[in-house]
Amino acid sequence: MFGNDADFLLSLHRTHAAELRAEAAAQRLARSLPRRAGRSWLGRRKQTGGTNDARR
């Protein structure tokens, strides 16, 4: 598959660079999307805890 070590290292470098670019793109997309507040388990627990206190 690889003729010599240089071909292998170049292939490894390109693969790693592509993985880094994909990870950076995923992080950029995650930062651009608005966060959905109150969707986590802890967020729901805080929400219901606040409404229970209001009922008392």
Side-chain angles (χ1 to χ4, degrees):
M1 185 172 168
F2 300 105
N4 58 29
D5 287 342
D7 291 337
F8 172 72
L9 290 175
L10 185 58
S11 175
L12 187 65
H13 168 73
R14 287 180 177 160
T15 302
H16 187 239
E19 288 174 353
L20 290 175
R21 281 193 299 271
E23 186 179 340
Q27 289 174 355
R28 208 168 29 252
L29 177 62
R31 283 193 305 266
S32 70
L33 297 175
R35 291 188 180 203
R36 297 168 60 177
R39 290 290 185 188
S40 69
W41 179 83
L42 187 59
R44 286 196 304 269
R45 184 173 180 215
K46 284 181 181 175
Q47 238 176 3
T48 46
T51 56
N52 286 342
D53 291 338
R55 289 181 195 162
R56 291 180 193 172

